[in-house]
Amino acid sequence: MRTIAIFLVLFLAFVVLVVLFVVSGTYNIAAVEPHSAVVNQLFATLRDQSIARHSQDIQPPSLTDPTLVQSGFREYHSMCFSCHGAPGHKPSEIGRGLNPKPPQLDAEAVQGRGDAELYWIIKNGLRMTGMPAFGPTHEEKELWSIVAFLRRLPEMDAQAYDAMVEAAGLQEGGQMHAHTYERGRGDEEERRANIKQQRMYTLSHTLPGRNP
């Protein structure tokens, strides 16, 4: 009984300390401050285990159809480029201001996930990361098309991505387009281009008759 009583006292003391820490406002939640290693590891473990569990019953379709990849490229270009960038292209100011930083989608940490996991993330989003849920606004085939394109990213360089942008006519169409950071643009021109890019994206998603 004494051992149980000591345990309860210690547990209550721990709870009191946690509550005091929370209400004290000591923890800095500013996006410019990185999480501690312990918090990062806690979130990463929670994220990975949750994704694996909730996506385990999803059966991916075939993702090799070139038209599916092309459709996924268009979705990626309008929705994902701003935060994640693309081969040879940095993310916009929005993406660079997020905490945690959006991952490079051609990296092993992303490509090592299964197709079902990538689909689940795109469909449902991830809390406390800035990753939105596209399931409420997109059909299932559209979501899978993004996965199909993501699988092609490691094979691409800046020239290949730019060629797809040009072939799809996205630059001329006024949609968000890849922004090259290797052609001598100054910081001010880069900032203005990003602002214009975001305005065009917002306009294209609010005009009547346009799909989100």
Side-chain angles (χ1 to χ4, degrees), residues 3 5 43 158 183:
T3 302
F43 282 160
R183 297 176 181 174

Side-chain angles (χ1 to χ4, degrees), residues 40-55 109 113 117 120-121 126:
N40 271 332
Q41 185 59 47
L42 176 63
F43 282 160
T45 302
L46 177 66
R47 176 200 64 209
D48 292 343
Q49 294 300 318
S50 178
I51 293 171
R53 178 174 181 179
H54 289 89
S55 64
R113 294 189 181 279
E117 290 185 316
W120 188 91
I121 294 170
L126 296 173

Side-chain angles (χ1 to χ4, degrees), residues 43-149:
F43 282 160
T45 302
L46 177 66
R47 176 200 64 209
D48 292 343
Q49 294 300 318
S50 178
I51 293 171
R53 178 174 181 179
H54 289 89
S55 64
Q56 61 185 354
D57 295 327
I58 298 175
Q59 298 298 321
S62 174
L63 302 177
T64 58
D65 184 352
T67 60
L68 189 67
V69 176
Q70 182 64 32
S71 175
F73 161 71
R74 289 179 173 273
E75 297 292 341
Y76 180 93
H77 194 62
S78 66
M79 299 189 310
C80 310
F81 175 84
S82 180
C83 289
H84 294 280
H89 304 283
K90 294 181 181 179
S92 71
E93 292 175 336
I94 292 177
R96 284 179 280 170
L98 290 175
N99 183 8
K101 297 293 184 184
Q104 289 185 275
L105 298 182
D106 58 353
E108 176 59 30
V110 175
Q111 294 295 324
R113 294 189 181 279
D115 292 340
E117 290 185 316
L118 293 177
Y119 170 83
W120 188 91
I121 294 170
I122 295 168
K123 179 179 181 179
N124 298 284
L126 296 173
R127 296 182 189 178
M128 298 179 288
T129 66
M131 173 63 193
F134 292 114
T137 56
H138 289 72
E139 297 179 358
E140 183 173 330
K141 185 175 181 179
E142 293 173 319
L143 300 176
W144 280 116
S145 74
I146 300 173
V147 179
F149 176 71

Side-chain angles (χ1 to χ4, degrees), residues 16-28:
V16 170
L17 289 174
V18 170
V19 171
L20 290 175
F21 176 74
V22 171
V23 301
S24 70
T26 302
Y27 190 81
N28 190 349

